[in-house]
């Protein structure tokens, strides 16, 4: 398949064509030419859309699909279709399936289910057997079958010795441990951020201390063991400070933030809408601003949609009993582009690849096509009609967002809505 992208603006902060307007000719999945004007060969599909921009393909470090076990939430095939139409050429999928993805066979199954999709899937293996937090899973075997990291999704490593052993063990094959930042004994039965909003609504609170104490403990262990640690979806001002201090010590630690924690604060909980029940919870406006500053300062390495489809039975219940989680792939670019300059938005949507040992796609002659297609200008209100996912539990309904995503081109795959 040959494709000519006509008069597109290239946003590639690390590339030589950044901010250029040019034609891009893709032949058999390879970028053959980038030039101000290219004459197409016979049979070429020409894509010419006013305001069309391209960037290196986006990567999301934390998405959840339901398969196997919870296919009613999202199958792998439909999840990858959702990711592609949302501009992502690669996603790392969490092991919160049934059964938990904790073996080399599970990694092979996930990779096989993603074969032929436009968006590439990279499995994260469970850190512990069955995700129960007792014994380490088959980490080395999973790494040989395609696991890019190891962590129990939204489940902290309660046993500090287990984390110590894990960090020591994965150094034998350059693996990385993901440790969710939550001290459960502090969080207790909390369901939202422990602050004024929780008190006013009569909802049990999750103190910021529950996140910060776990991070402090994990960083002390990392300092002792060495190795690579990734802390996903931090949500408090103090968490940013703790990770910044650890970096200054030379510790090999990275972190991410969920886009909904950047965009929303706990004031939206006033209506008891369970779409806003997330883990970690939405925090204060002070925390939200600190997270944004952490991004601009480079302390927070990457953003994630933390896409987590939930069926209606998990959300249309009393707040205390509702599932945590929000879908986020479809709204990710629009929300981030509303908050940050375009170059920064694109950098954050691609920067996670290096940490997970992936090459950053290049927009240059001879490179495999790996492109996200979008227009950063249109402003709109996010509605259910924008949802592609099987589930509809979005925290972004009725929010004003900026930027339209058309889809992606990866190798010989074109998955886009060009209307």
């Amino acid at each position: 398949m040959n494709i000519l992208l006509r008069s597109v603006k290239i946003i590639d902060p690390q590339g030589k064509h950044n901010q250029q307007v040019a034609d891009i000719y893709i032949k058999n999945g390879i970028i053959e030419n980038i030039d101000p004007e290219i004459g197409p060969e016979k049979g070429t599909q020409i894509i010419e859309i006013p305001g069309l921009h391209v960037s290196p393909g986006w990567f999301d470090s934390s998405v959840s699909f339901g398969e196997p076990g919870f296919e009613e939430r999202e199958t792998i095939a439909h999840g990858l279709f959702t990711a592609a139409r949302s501009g992502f050429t690669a996603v790392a999928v969490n092991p919160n399936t049934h059964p938990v993805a904790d073996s080399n066979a599970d990694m092979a199954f996930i990779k096989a289910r993603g074969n032929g999709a436009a968006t590439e899937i990279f499995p994260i293996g469970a850190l512990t057997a069955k995700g129960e937090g007792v014994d380490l899973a088959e980490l080395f075997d999973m790494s040989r079958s395609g696991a890019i990291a190891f962590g129990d999704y939204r489940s902290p490593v309660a046993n500090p010795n287990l984390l110590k052993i894990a960090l020591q063990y994965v150094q034998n094959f350059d693996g990385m441990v993901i440790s969710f930042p939550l001290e459960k004994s502090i969080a207790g039965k909390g369901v939202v951020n422990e602050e004024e909003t929780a008190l006013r609504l009569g909802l049990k609170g999750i103190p910021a201390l529950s996140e910060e104490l776990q991070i402090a403990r994990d960083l002390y262990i990392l300092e002792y063991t060495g190795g690579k640690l990734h802390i996903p979806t931090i949500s408090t001002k103090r968490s940013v400070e703790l990770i910044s201090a650890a970096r200054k010590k030379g510790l090999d630690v990275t972190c991410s933030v969920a886009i909904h924690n950047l965009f929303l604060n706990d004031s939206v909980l006033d209506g008891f809408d369970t779409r806003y029940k997330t883990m970690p919870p939405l925090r204060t406006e002070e925390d939200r601003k600190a997270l944004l500053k952490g991004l601009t300062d480079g302390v927070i390495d990457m953003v994630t949609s933390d896409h987590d489809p939930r069926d209606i039975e998990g959300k249309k219940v009393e707040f205390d009993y509702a599932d945590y989680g929000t879908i986020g792939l479809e709204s990710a670019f629009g929300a981030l582009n509303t908050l940050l300059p375009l170059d920064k938005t694109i950098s954050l949507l691609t920067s996670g690849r290096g940490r997970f040992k992936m090459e950053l796609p290049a927009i240059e002659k001879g490179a495999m096509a790996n492109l996200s297609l979008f227009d950063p200008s249109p402003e709109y209100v996010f509605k259910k009609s924008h949802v592609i996912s099987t589930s509809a539990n979005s925290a972004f309904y009725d929010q004003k967002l900026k930027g339209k995503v058309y889809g992606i081109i990866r190798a010989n795959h074109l998955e886009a809505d060009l209307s």
Side-chain angles (χ1 to χ4, degrees), residues 101-227:
D102 66 354
S103 70
N104 57 344
D106 294 324
M107 302 300 103
F109 170 82
I110 292 168
K111 295 285 286 185
R113 296 294 283 176
N115 283 345
T119 295
E120 196 169 6
I121 191 169
F122 294 90
I124 295 171
L127 182 67
T128 63
K130 299 181 181 180
E132 293 176 346
V134 178
D135 300 305
L136 287 183
E138 303 168 0
L139 306 186
F140 178 66
D141 286 349
M142 284 192 287
S143 73
R144 295 181 67 184
S145 296
I148 57 171
F150 309 98
D152 296 337
Y153 183 62
R154 288 201 190 132
S155 183
V157 185
N159 183 345
N161 191 52
L162 191 66
L163 179 63
K164 176 180 76 73
I165 293 170
L167 284 166
Q168 291 171 327
Y169 178 63
V170 298
Q171 292 178 55
N172 293 308
F173 52 91
D174 194 29
M176 182 168 68
V177 171
I178 298 174
S179 180
F180 186 71
L182 180 71
E183 170 51 68
K184 284 189 173 181
S185 61
I186 298 291
K189 296 182 179 180
V191 292
V192 297
N193 182 45
E194 185 185 76
E195 264 291 344
E196 179 186 338
T197 299
L199 183 64
R200 187 175 68 252
L201 299 179
L203 295 171
K204 298 182 181 70
I206 301 174
L209 177 65
S210 65
E211 175 173 306
E212 297 153 5
L213 188 62
Q214 187 81 8
I215 289 175
R217 188 210 71 170
D218 290 356
L219 291 173
Y220 271 118
I221 294 172
L222 178 66
E223 187 172 9
Y224 176 81
T225 61

Side-chain angles (χ1 to χ4, degrees), residues 34-341:
I34 302 173
D35 201 70
E37 189 171 348
I38 299 172
E41 295 181 9
K42 185 178 180 180
T44 296
Q45 180 177 354
I46 299 175
I47 298 176
E48 186 171 10
I49 302 172
L52 183 61
H53 289 54
V54 301
S55 75
W58 306 338
F59 167 67
D60 195 327
S61 61
S62 176
V63 304
S64 298
F65 301 142
E67 188 178 6
F70 303 112
E71 285 85 355
E72 72 278 4
R73 298 177 185 171
E74 192 97 89
T75 64
I76 289 174
H78 195 271
L80 293 176
F81 172 75
T82 301
R85 286 295 180 91
S86 302
F88 292 89
T89 61
V91 295
V93 65
N94 294 305
N96 57 328
T97 50
H98 183 70
V100 170
D102 66 354
S103 70
N104 57 344
D106 294 324
M107 302 300 103
F109 170 82
I110 292 168
K111 295 285 286 185
R113 296 294 283 176
N115 283 345
T119 295
E120 196 169 6
I121 191 169
F122 294 90
I124 295 171
L127 182 67
T128 63
K130 299 181 181 180
E132 293 176 346
V134 178
D135 300 305
L136 287 183
E138 303 168 0
L139 306 186
F140 178 66
D141 286 349
M142 284 192 287
S143 73
R144 295 181 67 184
S145 296
I148 57 171
F150 309 98
D152 296 337
Y153 183 62
R154 288 201 190 132
S155 183
V157 185
N159 183 345
N161 191 52
L162 191 66
L163 179 63
K164 176 180 76 73
I165 293 170
L167 284 166
Q168 291 171 327
Y169 178 63
V170 298
Q171 292 178 55
N172 293 308
F173 52 91
D174 194 29
M176 182 168 68
V177 171
I178 298 174
S179 180
F180 186 71
L182 180 71
E183 170 51 68
K184 284 189 173 181
S185 61
I186 298 291
K189 296 182 179 180
V191 292
V192 297
N193 182 45
E194 185 185 76
E195 264 291 344
E196 179 186 338
T197 299
L199 183 64
R200 187 175 68 252
L201 299 179
L203 295 171
K204 298 182 181 70
I206 301 174
L209 177 65
S210 65
E211 175 173 306
E212 297 153 5
L213 188 62
Q214 187 81 8
I215 289 175
R217 188 210 71 170
D218 290 356
L219 291 173
Y220 271 118
I221 294 172
L222 178 66
E223 187 172 9
Y224 176 81
T225 61
K228 294 198 294 187
L229 178 67
H230 179 66
I231 301 174
T233 59
I234 66 171
S235 66
T236 79
K237 179 181 179 180
R238 180 62 178 148
S239 294
V240 177
E241 294 169 352
L242 288 167
I243 292 167
S244 177
R247 292 268 186 76
K248 291 175 182 176
K249 289 182 178 180
L251 301 187
D252 192 353
V253 58
T254 52
C255 64
S256 67
V257 60
I259 294 173
H260 48 265
N261 283 99
L262 290 172
F263 199 88
L264 302 167
N265 62 41
D266 60 359
S267 67
V268 299
L269 296 168
D270 281 351
F272 292 93
D273 193 329
T274 58
R275 292 183 295 107
Y276 301 121
K277 186 177 180 182
T278 63
M279 179 57 70
L282 301 176
R283 301 287 187 182
T284 65
E285 180 65 7
E286 181 182 12
D287 288 315
R288 190 188 72 82
K289 289 179 177 178
L291 294 171
L292 281 170
K293 187 174 187 300
L295 282 175
T296 56
D297 291 347
V299 177
I300 301 176
D301 304 270
M302 63 194 85
V303 296
T304 172
S305 69
D306 204 23
H307 180 80
D308 188 10
R310 294 284 157 167
D311 52 51
I312 192 168
E313 289 83 1
K315 282 293 188 179
K316 291 292 184 180
V317 294
E318 293 180 22
F319 202 97
D320 282 349
Y321 302 109
D323 290 346
Y324 292 103
T326 173
I327 58 172
L329 285 168
E330 303 95 316
S331 52
F333 175 73
L336 204 59
N337 188 47
T338 302
L339 296 171
L340 297 167

